[in-house]
Amino acid sequence: LLTAISIERCLSVLCPIWCRSHRPKHMSAIISGLLWGVSLLLNTLGYVLCTIRPPARSCNLLLITIGTLDFLFCTPLMLIFSLTLFLRVKCSSQHLRTGRLFTVIMLTVLFFLIFAVPLSVLILFDFLGYKFLYSPEIGFVLSCVNSSLNPIIYFLVGSYRDRRIKFALRLAFQRAFED
């Protein structure tokens, strides 16, 4: 989803007229639904192949495929489009307004790279036969920290401009996504 969000946001900044006039109205909902469906399918398949049935070659093949898809396709695309968006916004002579959504996306991508990518890389290398001295528990804790940081990012970015932080969480989420 971070990859899809990064691509869509980058396109909306680089090609705003095309996005407003030619992009299908429900494209975001369709892409999100497809991504959730693929994720559900892969996770269900992984559960069946790796948990219900004894671990076999098909389990390892599926996990290597998921790791490769994540590490060699989704993460590089997310990085390329996020970096392009960041450079376009920061180096623009038009002084584009960055906004809260830009901040949320950049912080989410940054923390994803710090906390989630190392686990994916280590798991992929482990399944490819490369052994490193790492604790899977630490990797899973880092991944949980990454997931737990997202609501905090939304809250803090939503309440950034207010001096007081004592207001409804709903208002913080609304402000974070109003862009």
Side-chain angles (χ1 to χ4, degrees):
L1 283 174
L2 282 175
T3 303
I5 290 169
S6 298
I7 291 171
E8 184 166 338
R9 186 66 177 161
C10 184
L11 289 175
S12 70
V13 169
L14 294 179
C15 311
I17 295 172
W18 179 85
C19 284
R20 285 191 181 138
S21 60
H22 293 18
R23 190 176 145 272
K25 183 179 180 182
H26 300 290
M27 176 79 98
S28 298
I30 292 168
I31 296 293
S32 295
L34 287 173
L35 290 172
W36 277 99
V38 168
S39 178
L40 180 65
L41 175 70
L42 289 174
N43 282 298
T44 303
L45 195 57
Y47 178 74
V48 169
L49 292 176
C50 301
T51 304
I52 295 177
R53 291 179 34 182
R57 186 174 189 271
S58 57
C59 173
N60 286 342
L61 184 62
L62 176 68
L63 293 174
I64 289 171
T65 302
I66 291 171
T68 303
L69 181 67
D70 180 33
F71 183 63
L72 296 179
F73 182 72
C74 291
T75 302
L77 277 178
M78 179 184 60
L79 285 173
I80 289 168
F81 282 96
S82 295
L83 184 62
T84 302
L85 177 62
F86 179 78
L87 291 174
R88 170 72 166 109
V89 169
K90 291 300 177 186
C91 298
S92 174
S93 62
Q94 300 169 347
H95 300 294
L96 297 172
R97 191 175 70 90
T98 56
R100 289 185 176 118
L101 184 60
F102 176 78
T103 305
V104 167
I105 291 171
M106 288 301 143
L107 286 174
T108 305
V109 168
L110 175 69
F111 287 124
F112 173 79
L113 292 173
I114 292 170
F115 293 112
V117 170
L119 175 66
S120 299
V121 171
L122 290 174
I123 289 173
L124 178 62
F125 283 152
D126 186 50
F127 281 111
L128 291 174
Y130 298 100
K131 301 295 179 195
F132 294 99
L133 294 175
Y134 79 98
S135 169
E137 291 81 14
I138 292 173
F140 290 118
V141 167
L142 290 176
S143 186
C144 289
V145 167
N146 176 58
S147 297
S148 301
L149 280 174
N150 289 337
I152 295 168
I153 291 170
Y154 302 149
F155 177 77
L156 292 177
V157 170
S159 64
Y160 176 70
R161 294 209 173 116
D162 285 345
R163 298 276 184 228
R164 53 194 164 94
I165 294 190
K166 296 181 181 178
F167 59 87
L169 183 61
R170 181 177 174 213
L171 182 61
F173 280 107
Q174 181 181 354
R175 287 184 178 179
F177 291 109
E178 72 185 3
D179 287 343

